[in-house]
Amino acid sequence: RHLLENTNYKIINIDKLTYSGNLESIPSSNNPKYFFERYDICDEKNIKRLFDKYQPDAVMHLAAESHVDRSIDAPNIFLETNIMGTFNLLEISRMYYENLDISKKQLFRFHHISTDEVYGDLDNDKDLFTENTPYAPSSPYSASKAASDHLVRAWHRTYNLPTIITNCSNNYGPYHFPEKLIPNTILSAINGQPIKIYGKGSQIRDWLFVE
């Protein structure tokens, strides 16, 4: 929304629309700068076709299975999307990047959106994760995201693909899927239902508001 409203960029949104996807929460297809394509990032043939069709200046990779409890129940889905899906995007981006002219190569970026959960747990509310914090994933979800981070770093070092990795903290805000902690807690309170406490309630998390 920010890019569509405040810049002249054209946005190509690729989304598989799994259980948590909702077309009502994404921008209107009436915007001439916005294009929606419903595909899985593991679909090599069609993702490559979209690169050829739209010729992107940059890739912002947000696609991921991202619910810790679901990763405990069905880790295979997380490995497939978060690891193999990232691998697929990296390889297609690498082949695409290698055929760009010099001026476009200088501008191209592969922006990989990761999570601070790859660093494990904070010991207290005065601690902060930094880029130098050792990786210590503690769930199938965070382990799969850590693996994807390592793939992105490897494609940068091995193939010189221009990459950026950002490890943001837990997001919350409008359009948030209601199974997540903050909207789940708010909805439970509104509906007079018990508010769930995860484990013993001692875990510490940092939160990032995303409009």
Side-chain angles (χ1 to χ4, degrees), residues 135-163:
Y135 274 59
S138 56
S139 70
Y141 160 61
S142 56
S144 68
K145 290 297 288 183
S148 69
D149 289 6
H150 296 326
L151 289 175
V152 175
R153 290 178 189 275
W155 258 245
H156 173 65
R157 291 290 297 273
T158 305
Y159 303 110
N160 295 315
L161 183 68
T163 63

Side-chain angles (χ1 to χ4, degrees), residues 77-206:
I77 300 172
F78 286 71
L79 271 60
E80 181 178 343
T81 298
N82 298 353
I83 299 176
M84 293 309 298
T86 299
F87 163 74
N88 192 45
L89 282 181
L90 284 168
E91 271 294 87
I92 293 170
S93 296
R94 177 181 67 83
M95 291 184 285
Y96 171 78
Y97 172 76
E98 289 174 352
N99 290 309
L100 292 176
D101 61 37
I102 295 298
S103 60
K104 287 194 172 184
K105 276 187 175 179
Q106 291 175 341
L107 295 173
F108 185 84
R109 295 292 184 274
F110 184 100
H111 181 189
H112 177 64
I113 312 296
S114 186
T115 169
D116 65 351
E117 292 199 36
V118 299
Y119 302 127
D121 300 322
L122 291 170
D123 291 328
N124 58 69
D125 59 7
K126 293 182 175 58
D127 284 346
L128 293 171
F129 295 125
T130 74
E131 287 85 349
N132 296 318
T133 303
Y135 274 59
S138 56
S139 70
Y141 160 61
S142 56
S144 68
K145 290 297 288 183
S148 69
D149 289 6
H150 296 326
L151 289 175
V152 175
R153 290 178 189 275
W155 258 245
H156 173 65
R157 291 290 297 273
T158 305
Y159 303 110
N160 295 315
L161 183 68
T163 63
I164 300 169
I165 300 175
T166 51
N167 299 88
C168 58
S169 59
N170 291 273
N171 294 178
Y172 73 101
Y175 313 106
H176 206 173
F177 192 67
E179 75 176 358
K180 303 292 187 176
L181 176 63
I182 290 180
N184 184 285
T185 301
I186 292 171
L187 289 171
S188 295
I190 289 173
N191 294 318
Q193 298 172 345
I195 294 175
K196 299 175 183 177
I197 295 178
Y198 191 84
K200 295 181 179 179
S202 60
Q203 289 87 350
I204 297 170
R205 289 288 183 271
D206 186 39

Side-chain angles (χ1 to χ4, degrees), residues 33-60:
K33 297 187 297 180
Y34 178 76
F35 305 89
F36 176 76
E37 299 281 358
R38 185 175 181 176
Y39 289 105
D40 186 342
I41 58 169
C42 295
D43 183 347
E44 180 182 356
K45 179 181 177 181
N46 279 307
I47 298 299
K48 186 177 186 304
R49 180 181 61 79
L50 294 178
F51 270 69
D52 294 337
K53 176 181 177 180
Y54 291 109
Q55 300 287 302
D57 299 307
V59 175
M60 192 175 188

Side-chain angles (χ1 to χ4, degrees), residues 1 4-5 11-17 20-31 34-38 174-176:
R1 285 180 177 80
L4 290 172
E5 292 172 6
I11 307 299
I12 301 95
N13 179 19
I14 303 172
D15 197 314
K16 184 181 177 181
L17 287 181
S20 61
N22 184 355
L23 281 173
E24 293 182 5
S25 69
I26 60 178
S28 168
S29 58
N30 295 328
N31 190 317
Y34 178 76
F35 305 89
F36 176 76
E37 299 281 358
R38 185 175 181 176
Y175 313 106
H176 206 173

